[in-house]
């Protein structure tokens, strides 16, 4: 005996939602509905049960994922349709039509669909008969998160974009209304390996490029997550004041001789002149000059005539010099001992 029933049908079509009662027959398989411009065949009523196994609640999907189900009954040629909703089926729209009831899965390209944390899928036949629905909501998220960087101090506290105290770096991931951040990663310069960010860290001494990015919780069928494009920031740190080494070309001067004095700083400095020379024993020094950008400075020492001293030094007070980052020198540096005999 033919068994018939009336069921509510609701589909999104080219002209909007269509709702109403339709009658389905357990033995009728020839009727079809037009939904979204597609002819949707009625599934053969020989299908006894169809149960959604994935997504069934709590999943976080991106890209292409596999909708899966299990069935009992059915015969070759039986087909089903898959619809989705983001409002618990107050409305719904098609994912696909005419899927073989006994297919192992359906590869769903989620990028062609809206993003939401309230997705459910449902299997129906062409009359609107509902086989099964996801037990709970799942998420579709195809948007990468964004990572913000903050340094403390918030801006360079030296000169020319340099920090003269070591800044602390904080990285913060934001995934908006998506699936939520998974991890944040960073590395310095051309390092091969990425470090997983867990807590704020201090920047490296010198001029370095920090690269960083985050991914989120959503995955495709291969386990690949949404990853943002790698961001970079150059951070310049110099906490070391300049140091100095002084040398003389002649350390035993006689009458008529001079000595080339070379002042070599550990880095380029400005502000160095004769006012920084606090001691020039038994002689005079010409003004210093540099030809390499301020690292090496040279001057000529001329000993005092009619003088004989075995121990002499030239002293430099480094407090008057400053490096490119804004660090001032500290302390006094003496030249090696030099002897004078101009008698």
């Amino acid at each position: 005996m033919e068994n018939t029933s009336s069921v509510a049908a609701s589909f999104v079509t080219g002209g909007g939602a269509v709702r109403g009662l339709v009658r389905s027959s357990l033995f009728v398989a020839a009727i079809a509905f037009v939904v979204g411009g597609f002819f949707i065949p009625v599934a053969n009523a020989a299908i006894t049960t169809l149960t959604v196994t994935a997504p069934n609640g709590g999943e976080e999907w991106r890209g292409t994922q596999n909708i899966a189900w299990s069935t009992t009954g059915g015969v070759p040629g039986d087909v089903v349709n898959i619809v989705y909703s983001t409002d618990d089926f107050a409305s719904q729209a098609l994912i696909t039509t005419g899927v073989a009831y006994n297919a192992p899965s359906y590869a769903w390209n989620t990028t062609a669909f809206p993003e939401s944390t309230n997705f459910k899928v449902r299997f129906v036949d062409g009359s609107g008969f509902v086989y099964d629905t996801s037990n709970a909501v799942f998420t579709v998220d195809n948007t990468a998160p964004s990572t913000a960087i903050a340094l403390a101090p918030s801006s360079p506290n030296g000169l020319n974009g340099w920090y003269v105290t070591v800044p602390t770096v904080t990285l913060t991931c934001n995934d908006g209304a998506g699936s939520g951040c998974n991890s944040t990663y960073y590395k310095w310069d051309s390092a091969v390996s990425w470090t997983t960010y867990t807590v704020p860290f201090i920047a490296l001494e010198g001029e370095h490029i920090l690269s960083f990015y985050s991914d989120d919780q959503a995955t495709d069928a291969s386990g690949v997550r949404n990853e943002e494009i790698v961001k970079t920031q150059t951070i310049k740190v110099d906490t070391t004041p300049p140091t100095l080494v002084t040398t003389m070309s002649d350390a035993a001067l006689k009458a008529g001789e001079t000595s080339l004095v070379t002042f070599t700083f550990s880095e380029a400095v400005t502000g160095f002149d004769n006012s920084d020379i606090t001691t020039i024993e038994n002689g005079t020094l010409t003004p210093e000059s540099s030809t390499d950008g301020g690292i090496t400075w040279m001057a000529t020492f001329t000993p005092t005539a009619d003088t004989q001293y075995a121990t002499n030094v030239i002293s430099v007070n480094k407090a008057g010099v400053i490096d490119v980052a804004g660090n001032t020198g500290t302390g006094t540096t003496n030249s090696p001992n030099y002897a004078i005999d101009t008698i």
Side-chain angles (χ1 to χ4, degrees), residues 251-263:
L253 294 113
K254 297 185 180 300
E257 294 180 342
T258 60
S259 178
L260 180 65
V261 183
T262 301
F263 304 93

Side-chain angles (χ1 to χ4, degrees), residues 128-172:
F129 178 82
V130 176
Y131 289 107
D132 195 25
T133 303
S134 301
N135 287 343
V137 297
F138 65 97
T139 295
V140 171
D141 174 12
N142 285 292
T143 301
S146 179
T147 307
I149 182 171
L151 281 75
S154 59
S155 59
N157 53 2
L159 301 177
N160 304 304
W162 287 84
Y163 285 89
V164 292
T165 57
V166 179
T168 299
V169 181
T170 300
L171 300 176
T172 304

Side-chain angles (χ1 to χ4, degrees), residues 244-288:
L244 170 64
V245 175
T246 304
T247 59
M248 299 182 70
S249 62
D250 188 348
L253 294 113
K254 297 185 180 300
E257 294 180 342
T258 60
S259 178
L260 180 65
V261 183
T262 301
F263 304 93
T264 304
F265 288 90
S266 56
E267 54 190 312
V269 299
T270 57
F272 182 50
D273 57 31
N274 276 34
S275 66
D276 301 305
I277 310 298
T278 56
T279 303
I280 306 174
E281 293 184 327
N282 297 304
T284 59
L285 196 65
T286 62
E288 302 85 3

Side-chain angles (χ1 to χ4, degrees), residues 185-195 209-212 230:
Y185 311 90
Y186 70 93
K187 68 176 182 176
W188 291 102
D189 302 319
S190 58
V192 175
S193 300
W194 291 87
T195 299
I209 297 175
L210 178 67
S211 302
F212 56 95
V230 173

